[in-house]
Amino acid sequence: MSFGSYAYRVEFEHTDNIPHIMNGSHSPPPTALWTRLQDVSFIRRQRLILDRINWDIAPGSHWTVLGVNGSGKTTLLQLLAGYLWPSRGQITVLGEPFGRTDLRELRKRIGWVGSFLQSQIPSGQRPLDLIVSGKYASIGIFEKPSQSDYEKAEELADSFSCSHLLKLPYGVLSQGEKQRLLIARALIHQPQLLILDEPCPGLDLVAREKLLQGLEALSQTPNTPTIIFVTHHLEEIMPSWTHVLLLKQGKCLAQGQKQEILSSELLSEAFEIPIQIATDGGRYRASYCFS
């Protein structure tokens, strides 16, 4: 399976109170500051959603973000992509410190796949145009794409085993087929960071495994983007994922190398139920005790 290195950005409907541009020059930070959250908190409607998060992401690492519903996972990703502004703390993404960079330009270097995007796509959308639209960060195409744009889209569709879908309307596709197309869309504009916010819910076992195997192949290609993958399920963590960030009630419970974080003790604390962890061929699975 071969992959091009392409990406996209997507705009949320509302990005309230985010200062897109602030004046001031700066020198590129060292590699250690490639992507960093420092003492970051986020408050919404007087509720503390994230509390003093510190997180360093190095180029070439692939992270899984784990935590129960309401632990702050999606909010954390929206901060990382510049769609929300922290209530306190400092954020640097792809070497660009927030407050000294144009966030609209930064988002061009980030690919995002989330459930919110599917609901915005017309049922009659042609899949090939959907992939190409990622280059323009739009739902639909409002500029004339080049022939090379369509060639890249076809290459990406082939990489994610959806070439046979390109002449079908989007609305007739299965959930798994739609997700593979959206990932192809996210890769058409060369992201340095690819954020996948729970891409597997609603997929049957076969569709989920096809999607995960495609992502595993992508993660092993040269010059692949750094991947941030949010999930609730250990079996979705692929062998090439290198690190884990474990959230609990808006705080970082633990972070680090995957082998260190995916322990029965830490996961039992995060999910507040006894959990036993087992591995098989580089994949993880959990068993639970509800007594």
Side-chain angles (χ1 to χ4, degrees), residues 129-289:
D129 289 333
L130 173 64
I131 297 173
V132 170
S133 73
K135 179 177 180 180
Y136 304 99
S138 62
I139 303 300
I141 297 177
F142 305 99
E143 302 178 43
K144 184 174 176 58
S146 67
Q147 183 59 36
S148 65
D149 291 335
Y150 283 111
E151 290 172 357
K152 290 176 182 178
E154 289 173 349
E155 177 187 349
L156 285 164
D158 181 63
S159 297
F160 279 92
S161 303
C162 46
S163 295
H164 62 293
L165 308 175
L166 297 182
K167 295 183 179 180
L168 300 174
Y170 179 82
V172 306
L173 304 180
S174 70
Q175 181 75 2
E177 291 167 342
K178 290 176 179 177
Q179 286 294 78
R180 295 204 304 274
L181 285 170
L182 290 175
I183 292 172
R185 180 186 187 275
L187 292 169
I188 201 170
H189 205 264
Q190 294 186 310
Q192 293 173 270
L193 183 65
L194 177 62
I195 296 174
L196 303 172
D197 189 7
E198 297 188 55
C200 296
L203 306 187
D204 62 38
L205 291 175
V206 174
R208 184 180 71 170
E209 196 61 25
K210 284 183 178 179
L211 179 62
L212 291 172
Q213 291 297 335
L215 292 172
E216 174 73 355
L218 171 66
S219 69
Q220 297 182 43
T221 59
N223 301 316
T224 190
T226 293
I227 297 173
I228 311 294
F229 183 89
V230 172
T231 181
H232 293 101
H233 304 285
L234 297 191
E235 62 269 22
E236 294 176 3
I237 300 174
M238 301 305 288
S240 291
W241 289 188
T242 57
H243 293 73
V244 172
L245 175 71
L246 191 57
L247 290 175
K248 182 179 180 181
Q249 298 177 352
K251 296 182 178 182
C252 176
L253 178 63
Q255 62 175 292
Q257 293 284 336
K258 175 176 62 178
Q259 296 85 350
E260 299 172 357
I261 305 304
L262 296 181
S263 68
S264 298
E265 293 76 15
L266 280 173
L267 291 176
S268 295
E269 183 178 352
F271 289 90
E272 298 183 342
I273 189 172
I275 296 175
Q276 292 297 320
I277 305 300
T279 60
D280 182 12
R283 302 284 291 274
Y284 287 77
R285 66 177 184 274
S287 56
Y288 309 90
C289 178

Side-chain angles (χ1 to χ4, degrees), residues 89-140:
Q90 298 178 326
I91 300 178
T92 297
V93 175
L94 305 180
E96 301 289 344
F98 282 24
R100 289 189 285 167
T101 190
D102 186 337
L103 295 181
R104 293 167 297 188
E105 291 300 312
L106 177 63
R107 293 186 200 117
K108 295 178 182 179
R109 299 161 61 190
I110 301 171
W112 181 297
V113 175
S115 59
F116 74 92
L117 185 59
Q118 281 202 21
S119 63
Q120 301 180 44
I121 299 171
S123 61
Q125 175 79 68
R126 192 173 70 132
L128 189 61
D129 289 333
L130 173 64
I131 297 173
V132 170
S133 73
K135 179 177 180 180
Y136 304 99
S138 62
I139 303 300

